[in-house]
Amino acid sequence: MSRLVPVALAATALTAALAACGGPAVPTGVDCAPAEGALVLVVGAHANAPLPDIPASLGCLIRSSIAAHRPIGVVGVDGTPEVDPRLAGKVFSLRTGNSAALTQDINAAAGSVVSAVRGLHPDSDGADVVSALGIAHDLAVSAGGGHATVVVLDPMLPDSGPLKLTEPGWAGADPTEVADHLERSGQLPRADGLSYELVGVGYTAAPQQPLPAAMRDNVSAIWTEVLRRGGAIVTVDPAPRQGDGPITPFTTRTVPLAEIAQPSLCAGRRLVFDNASALGFVADSAELRDPTGAAAALAGVADWLRGDAGRRADLVGTTARVGDSAGQVALSRRRAEAVAQALVGLGVAAGRLHVEGVGSDFDGYVPDAGDPAARQLNRTVRLTLSGPSTSC
């Protein structure tokens, strides 16, 4: 696929979507509300993200905002985000004398928006989403008199700036803890009551491997919490954004995904599943984020246990140092019990499983005060195998 689809074709496709949303003559004939104040599009233009584009679902918002003379801006996301000079709070001129002229001008303006978005190119390594949101905030407030709608069209997996979701453990971290971390360090993106719509969060392009659905949901939850903490009104569009990424020499780091390996097993072998693994849990609960992935990760263990009636497994749950000790122990035990139940579901007799919770009092505890990623490493279920065995 070429780097850019011809703008004329893109504009034609979007114009059809725009025209479908309302009457062609006057702003009041458009069937959806315009942006409140400025409309700012924050668009990923970096590796591991689909090519910059505007989905048809945004057609009516763009058309109505043009018709209502709202300022429109575009911010490109890469390692050094910046406002696209072609749309830096632009208000399009419209001929209002007759309906045909007005329709023609709205369609031409929509084509200009398409052209600006599809013409974005990365010019640096990385994806600094927090900085891009800060730039969008400042543009929105200055152009829109303090009111604005910000639409983010990006996987929202930054690898630079104050929040790096590509580092181990971060994309699966507790959303509240991530927001706490940014707030303590004074690096929450300002939102000041603006409306944010997040489109395509967690949907990537090669070479980034597709994120599991549970991780995509968690990334959406992280950004929702972070932006709300900064004062935003947030909605998430769950529709996927897919397709090829840009052909570019500039790189963006990928999110490390846990492989579902089936290690060689024997008596005495200990397996540690932390909260960034396929056996991760929903925050503050014993609910597995991805039961299907958890079953796949445990398949080899279940096969080994079923292979001899004398084989056993000790399951020990651990937690981060959050809350009181009794609560940590209780939660860690419930999580170990959840993994035991997953093994029972794979045909292992419950009597072969011993369950214990120790909270944050365990060998190998990583100091995790205020560190969401370290807390993921301390939230584990540890399986130790015993009984008759073949050699490892």
Side-chain angles (χ1 to χ4, degrees), residues 10-354:
T12 299
L14 183 60
T15 296
L18 294 170
C21 82
V26 294
T28 55
V30 178
D31 289 343
C32 63
E36 181 182 357
L39 172 63
V40 178
L41 307 177
V42 179
V43 185
H46 53 82
N48 304 317
L51 280 166
D53 202 356
I54 297 177
S57 60
L58 290 179
C60 198
L61 175 64
I62 292 171
R63 176 185 171 85
S64 62
S65 298
I66 292 169
H69 301 282
R70 300 293 194 255
I72 296 181
V74 171
V75 176
V77 183
D78 60 5
T80 52
E82 57 188 359
V83 177
D84 189 293
R86 291 166 293 186
L87 286 176
K90 181 179 178 63
V91 177
F92 289 94
S93 297
L94 303 175
R95 293 171 291 171
T96 58
N98 63 75
S99 61
L102 180 57
T103 299
Q104 185 178 41
D105 287 349
I106 290 174
N107 290 342
S112 296
V113 176
V114 172
S115 177
V117 168
R118 296 191 71 106
L120 292 170
H121 296 267
D123 59 14
S124 60
D125 294 331
D128 187 351
V129 178
V130 172
S131 293
L133 293 175
I135 293 169
H137 166 272
D138 293 346
L139 174 61
V141 171
S142 62
H147 300 285
T149 297
V150 179
V151 179
V152 184
L153 298 155
D154 187 73
M156 302 193 79
L157 297 169
D159 67 347
S160 54
L163 177 60
K164 301 179 180 67
L165 293 186
T166 56
E167 292 189 350
W170 279 91
D174 184 317
T176 299
E177 292 177 357
V178 174
D180 289 344
H181 170 75
L182 291 177
E183 188 169 25
R184 279 194 302 270
S185 60
Q187 297 181 98
L188 274 175
R190 291 178 58 197
D192 297 332
L194 305 184
S195 296
Y196 284 72
E197 181 176 357
L198 313 182
V199 184
V201 178
Y203 282 95
T204 63
Q208 171 68 59
Q209 295 179 0
L211 270 57
M215 184 175 285
R216 287 199 310 269
D217 291 344
N218 196 67
V219 172
S220 290
I222 286 172
W223 283 109
T224 298
E225 180 64 24
V226 164
L227 288 168
R228 285 178 177 166
R229 192 76 65 87
I233 301 165
V234 184
T235 59
V236 177
D237 183 343
R241 289 188 70 234
Q242 296 172 301
D244 295 336
I247 299 172
T248 174
F250 299 105
T251 61
T252 303
R253 285 188 290 275
T254 58
V255 178
L257 300 180
E259 294 185 7
I260 299 179
Q262 302 298 330
S264 58
L265 302 175
C266 58
R269 183 70 183 264
R270 189 178 77 165
L271 305 175
V272 178
F273 297 95
D274 65 32
N275 214 43
S277 75
L279 271 68
F281 290 89
V282 175
D284 298 319
S285 80
E287 177 187 351
L288 287 161
R289 283 198 302 259
D290 182 5
T292 300
L298 292 169
V301 176
D303 288 344
W304 187 86
L305 289 169
R306 293 196 310 265
D308 190 291
R311 293 175 181 172
R312 303 285 187 272
D314 292 320
L315 287 78
V316 178
T318 72
T319 66
R321 196 154 290 171
V322 178
D324 61 35
S325 177
Q328 293 171 22
V329 170
L331 177 59
S332 63
R333 181 180 178 85
R334 291 201 307 274
R335 288 180 168 175
E337 289 170 345
V339 174
Q341 285 302 309
L343 285 167
V344 170
L346 292 170
V348 177
R352 298 194 193 184
L353 306 173
H354 176 264

